[in-house]
Amino acid sequence: MISKDNVLEVRNLQTSFSTDKGEVRAVDGVSFDVPKGKTIGIVGESGSGKSITSLSILRLLAENGKIKGGEIRYKGEDLTKVSEKRMRELRGNEISMIFQEPMTSLNPVYTVGQQISEALISHQGMNKKQAMVRSVELLKLVGIPSPEKRVKAYPFELSGGMRQRVMIAMSLACDPEILIADEPTTALDVTIQAQILELIKDLQERLGMSVIFITHDLGVVAETCDYVAVMYAGQVVEYSDIRTLFKQPKHPYSIGLLNSLPRHDIDQEKLMPIKGNVPSPHEMPTGCRFAPRCPAATDLCRAKMPELMTDDSGNQIRCWIYSDEWPGEKEVNVYGETRIAKG
Amino acid sequence: MTKYIIRRLLQTIPVLIGVTILVFSLMHLVPGDAAKIIAGEGASDQTVENIRERLGLNDPLYVQYGTFVGNAVQGDLGSSIRSGRPVMDEIGARFWVTFELAFYSTIVAVFLGLIAGIISAVRHYTLTDVTVMIIALFGLSMPNFWFGLLLIQWFAIGNWMPESLEFLKMRPSGWGDDWRQVVLPVLTLGTGGAAIIARMTRSSMLEVIGQDYIRTARAKGLTERIVVYRHALKNALIPVVTVVGLEFGGFLGGAVLTETIFAINGMGRLTIDAIRTRDFPMVQGTVLVISVLFVVVNLLVDVSYRYLNKRIDLN
C-alpha cells in the first residue's frame, strides 16, 4: 500500500503545548501517508490530537504549541524544518485547509470575493481584477448560485452551508496538491453535510488532489475515504485501507469504536460503548494508552508502549496482540470478536 | 444612510432640551446674584435692581427659560454679561482655537496609540509589550496639567528648546501664524489620549488575533503583516473608534487645564471664566455648543462603525 506516490508522509510526529501545568504532548507518535489523489481519514474522539496533527502539517499551531519531533515530508521536503517563508508559499497554495466552523472562519469585514482573491493575488501574482474573475469561477465550481452577485456578499449574508462552500472555494483557489478538511461538516445541518461531502468528493475526483479528512464521524469516513488513520490519545493506533478497517478492524480501540456505532451492513443486537474515558494528557499511562480500557490488556500492555507495526498487507497497527511478544492466548476475544494473535 | 443621519440629528433635540434645562437650573441654584456681581461692589440697590430688570432676572424661571430657548433656536444665545458682546460671536472666536487643539491632539493620540497598541498585541507577553504598557500606564495616570508643566520646564525654560518660550506667549486671536505654538499643548493633550487608545487597541487586537478567521488568513499563506494590518486591525478598530470619538469630544469641551497652562484662549477657558463670573448667557451658550459638538462626534463615530463592519445596520 505504501508507495512512492505519496505526496505527504508523516513520521512519528510529536507536538507539545506548554501550559501552566507543564508540557502537554497532544500528539505523540503520529504516522501516516497520503497517497496522491486519494482521501485519507483521520478519526478519533475529541482530544485525540487529530486537529493538532492537521495544524502541525501547516505549522499553524497556537503560540504555545511546538513540533517537538518527527518528520512531515511533503514531496521530499521536511515541513518541520523549512523556513517560515517557504511555509507561507505552501500554505493556501499547495496545501490548503478548511475548518470546522464556517460561521467564524471567514473574516466578517471583507467580502467573499476579497477573501478568495487574496490567495490568488499573493500566490499566483494575479491583479485584483483577474482575481475577482477567478473568484467568480471558483464560486461557480463549488455550486454557489449567481456567483457574480455572491462574490460581493459579506459572510454574514450567507448561510452556514454557503459559507463552507466559500471556504472550499477559497482553499481550492490555487489548485492545491493537498486539501486538509478539519471536520468540515460537523457544524452543519445533516442535509447540508451530505451536500458538502458530495462536493468535496466530486472536486477531489475532478481536480485530482489528495484530501486529508479529519472527523470523529465514522459514517463520513466510510463514505469519503480510501485510507483511515485511527487516533487515540495523541497516537495513531491503526492505519489501514477503508475496507479492512470496516470489515476486519484490528486494534481493540477500532473494534470498540465500530461496535459502538449503529451500522446497516452487519447484524447488531445492541450498541456497545467503550468503557472508561480517554486519559488526560497530563496523566498518560506508561504502557499502551488504551490498556486501561482494553478488554484484552495484559501486563505487557500496561508496562510497555507498543510500536506502530506494519503487517504483510502494508497496514499499520499499534498493538501487542499482533507482535511476536504477545504473552496472551492465541485467540483473543475483543468486544465479542475474535482476533488471532501473532505470537 | 442619509435617512439615518437625519433621524439621529432629530434625536439630539431631546438631548439638547435636557442639557439646557440642566444648565439653566444649575446656574440658578448656585449661590450668588448675577446682578450684584455685574454691578460691582458698593453699587446702590437701585443700580442692581435696574440691571436685574434689564436682564429679565425678575421674570419667573420658566419665562426666562422660554425666552432663552426661543432665542437660541434662532441662533441668538444672548449677550455676554461681562463683555456685552453676543455670545455666539465670543464662542465663534474661540471655537476654532479649541477645535484645532483637539483635532491635532486626537491625531497624535490615534497615531501613537494605534502603533503602541498594535506592537503590544503582536508581541504580547514579551518585554516589548510590558514596556509599552508601562509607558501607557504612565501616560494614563499622569495628570495633563503636570505633564504640560513638565514639557514647558524641559523645552521652554530648560535648555532643550529655549526659543520655544516665545511660542507660549498668549495670542488673543488664537494660534497666531506659527505652527510651533501648537506642539507642546498638543503633546500634552495627545499623550494622555494615546495611552487610552493604546490599551484599548491592545486588548481589542488580542481578542481578534485569537479568532478563527485569523487562522484562516494564515492558512492562505498571507504574510504576518497582511494578517495583522488587513485582517485583524479592521476588526479590532470598532472599540478603538468609540474611544477616539469620546477623546475628541472630551478635548473639545474639557481641555481647560491645558488651555490654562499654555495660555490658550479657547472654549475651555471661556467656559470657566463665564462660570466664575456668573456670566449666565455665556455658560449656557458654551455648554450648549459643546453638547452639540459631542452629539455630532458621536454620530460620526456611529457612521464610521458601518464603514468598518458592513454587518452593522444603522437603520
Side-chain angles (χ1 to χ4, degrees):
Chain A
M1 182 191 86
I2 295 168
S3 69
K4 289 200 181 83
D5 271 352
N6 293 334
V7 277
L8 189 81
E9 291 173 356
V10 177
R11 288 290 170 269
N12 197 27
L13 178 69
Q14 291 165 332
T15 303
S16 294
F17 287 86
S18 47
T19 68
D20 297 341
K21 287 183 186 169
E23 191 179 299
V24 170
R25 193 149 276 199
V27 169
D28 190 9
V30 164
S31 304
F32 59 86
D33 298 316
V34 182
K36 191 168 170 52
K38 300 285 184 193
T39 301
I40 101 137
I42 300 180
V43 277
E45 295 167 68
S46 311
S48 59
K50 47 193 195 309
S51 287
I52 301 300
T53 303
S54 62
L55 291 172
S56 298
I57 296 172
L58 276 180
R59 294 212 334 227
L60 287 174
L61 296 162
E63 271 170 51
N64 60 340
K66 203 170 181 249
I67 298 174
K68 282 285 165 85
E71 287 181 3
I72 301 169
R73 295 216 152 266
Y74 169 73
K75 292 181 167 175
E77 258 180 300
D78 185 355
L79 299 188
T80 63
K81 297 205 171 65
V82 301
S83 67
E84 181 57 28
K85 184 166 170 280
R86 175 67 185 143
M87 252 350 268
R88 274 203 303 272
E89 286 168 15
L90 294 174
R91 283 185 204 130
N93 188 21
E94 297 194 30
I95 308 176
S96 59
M97 186 159 181
I98 49 181
F99 299 97
Q100 184 172 350
E101 278 294 339
M103 306 311 270
T104 55
S105 293
L106 290 168
N107 195 327
V109 302
Y110 292 107
T111 63
V112 161
Q114 285 170 326
Q115 296 190 54
I116 300 175
S117 297
E118 274 183 324
L120 294 164
I121 293 167
S122 77
H123 293 304
Q124 316 234 309
M126 289 189 183
N127 62 31
K128 274 189 184 172
K129 218 170 169 186
Q130 293 167 322
M132 269 306 164
V133 173
R134 177 77 181 127
S135 298
V136 173
E137 286 170 17
L138 284 160
L139 289 180
K140 205 168 174 181
L141 181 75
V142 297
I144 288 183
S146 49
E148 297 84 3
K149 252 169 69 186
R150 293 297 164 86
V151 81
K152 293 186 193 110
Y154 285 88
F156 69 90
E157 296 168 311
L158 304 173
S159 66
M162 281 296 156
R163 287 188 211 188
Q164 199 58 297
R165 282 176 197 264
V166 170
M167 279 297 291
I168 295 171
M170 208 152 92
S171 64
L172 297 180
C174 303
D175 270 325
E177 289 279 335
I178 303 173
L179 172 68
I180 303 174
D182 186 356
E183 308 236 13
T185 59
T186 308
L188 303 172
D189 291 344
V190 180
T191 46
I192 308 296
Q193 276 186 15
Q195 290 176 11
I196 296 290
L197 285 181
E198 202 51 49
L199 174 69
I200 294 176
K201 231 166 109 177
D202 174 56
L203 289 170
Q204 188 217 356
E205 276 163 24
R206 275 206 270 167
L207 307 173
M209 61 188 171
S210 308
V211 176
I212 301 176
F213 213 104
I214 290 156
T215 179
H216 64 266
D217 187 340
L218 280 166
V220 169
V221 169
E223 251 175 78
T224 50
C225 300
D226 301 302
Y227 301 97
V228 193
V230 180
M231 282 191 69
Y232 183 78
Q235 297 181 316
V236 168
V237 293
E238 183 164 359
Y239 176 60
S240 71
D241 60 279
I242 185 83
R243 212 165 239 284
T244 311
L245 185 85
F246 278 87
K247 270 194 149 170
Q248 186 76 4
K250 282 187 165 162
H251 197 282
Y253 176 65
S254 316
I255 300 170
L257 208 58
L258 285 161
N259 275 336
S260 63
L261 191 79
R263 288 171 71 175
H264 308 293
D265 56 334
I266 52 168
D267 285 336
Q268 276 171 308
E269 287 197 355
K270 57 179 181 181
L271 297 178
M272 300 223 296
I274 303 174
K275 291 196 178 77
N277 285 314
V278 184
S280 138
H282 297 284
E283 299 159 357
M284 281 297 176
T286 35
C288 169
R289 292 186 173 172
F290 189 60
R293 302 171 76 183
C294 180
T298 62
D299 288 342
L300 174 68
C301 304
R302 282 181 279 268
K304 208 174 150 199
M305 163 112 69
E307 293 294 316
L308 197 60
M309 295 165 284
T310 309
D311 70 7
D312 303 338
S313 56
N315 292 340
Q316 292 175 311
I317 181 92
R318 189 190 289 276
C319 180
W320 287 119
I321 297 178
Y322 308 96
S323 81
D324 296 328
E325 291 166 67
W326 176 244
E329 303 193 355
K330 185 89 178 154
E331 289 191 5
V332 190
N333 187 319
V334 187
Y335 295 113
E337 289 187 33
T338 307
R339 292 290 179 273
I340 308 297
K342 194 181 174 195
Chain B
M1 187 68 108
T2 323
K3 244 168 96 184
Y4 171 76
I5 293 173
I6 291 171
R7 211 181 62 217
R8 276 294 300 270
L9 286 174
L10 289 177
Q11 278 171 3
T12 62
I13 292 171
V15 174
L16 294 180
I17 291 176
V19 169
T20 50
I21 291 177
L22 211 66
V23 174
F24 188 80
S25 9
L26 271 178
M27 285 311 292
H28 284 83
L29 287 173
V30 292
D33 184 339
K36 271 190 188 152
I37 293 168
I38 294 163
E41 270 178 65
S44 69
D45 285 354
Q46 187 52 46
T47 318
V48 173
E49 189 52 42
N50 284 345
I51 292 173
R52 200 172 277 150
E53 192 60 42
R54 182 160 57 84
L55 296 176
L57 294 176
N58 284 330
D59 294 337
L61 280 183
Y62 65 87
V63 175
Q64 290 186 42
Y65 178 72
T67 316
F68 165 64
V69 171
N71 290 333
V73 292
Q74 298 170 48
D76 175 13
L77 291 173
S79 296
S80 162
I81 293 175
R82 217 155 45 110
S83 69
R85 292 177 59 205
V87 169
M88 276 310 249
D89 292 357
E90 292 257 0
I91 291 177
R94 311 289 192 92
F95 172 74
W96 289 107
V97 177
T98 295
F99 183 82
E100 234 180 306
L101 176 64
F103 186 72
Y104 293 140
S105 301
T106 308
I107 289 179
V108 167
V110 170
F111 186 73
L112 293 179
L114 272 185
I115 291 178
I118 292 170
I119 290 175
S120 244
V122 170
R123 314 221 163 147
H124 61 282
Y125 307 131
T126 62
L127 190 65
T128 320
D129 175 26
V130 174
T131 314
V132 171
M133 280 303 114
I134 287 176
I135 294 171
L137 194 64
F138 262 108
L140 201 64
S141 323
M142 217 161 28
N144 58 17
F145 63 85
W146 183 65
F147 187 56
L149 289 174
L150 276 186
L151 287 179
I152 293 176
Q153 171 74 37
W154 291 338
F155 287 97
I157 300 171
N159 286 325
W160 290 10
M161 234 175 90
E163 67 277 16
S164 62
L165 196 57
E166 197 50 35
F167 308 125
L168 294 173
K169 283 186 183 157
M170 190 164 167
R171 313 270 153 111
S173 59
W175 289 110
D177 39 23
D178 199 327
W179 62 271
R180 282 175 288 190
Q181 283 184 89
V182 196
V183 176
L184 293 189
V186 161
L187 272 183
T188 307
L189 263 189
T191 44
I196 298 172
I197 291 169
R199 291 170 68 86
M200 184 54 95
T201 306
R202 178 182 182 269
S203 67
S204 182
M205 280 292 277
L206 277 183
E207 202 185 306
V208 169
I209 282 174
Q211 296 289 322
D212 287 350
Y213 53 79
I214 296 301
R215 190 180 56 189
T216 307
R218 291 201 175 111
K220 269 189 264 187
L222 303 176
T223 60
E224 208 47 33
R225 202 192 175 84
I226 293 181
V227 172
V228 169
Y229 289 96
R230 195 191 293 166
H231 284 266
L233 189 58
K234 198 171 172 190
N235 279 286
L237 274 184
I238 285 185
V240 177
V241 166
T242 312
V243 172
V244 171
L246 288 175
E247 290 281 312
F248 184 57
F251 289 163
L252 282 178
V256 183
L257 292 171
T258 309
E259 288 184 356
T260 307
I261 291 170
F262 292 97
I264 296 163
N265 257 333
M267 290 279 287
R269 275 172 54 113
L270 185 65
T271 312
I272 293 297
D273 288 345
I275 292 172
R276 227 178 38 218
T277 54
R278 303 274 188 282
D279 192 346
F280 291 171
M282 189 57 91
V283 174
Q284 285 163 341
T286 49
V287 172
L288 201 63
V289 167
I290 291 170
S291 308
V292 172
L293 287 175
F294 226 102
V295 169
V296 170
V297 169
N298 273 325
L299 178 64
L300 289 176
V301 166
D302 286 356
V303 171
S304 73
Y305 287 166
R306 165 78 183 168
Y307 169 75
L308 288 171
N309 189 344
K310 294 287 185 296
R311 186 170 197 170
I312 291 167
D313 187 0
L314 295 178
N315 295 313

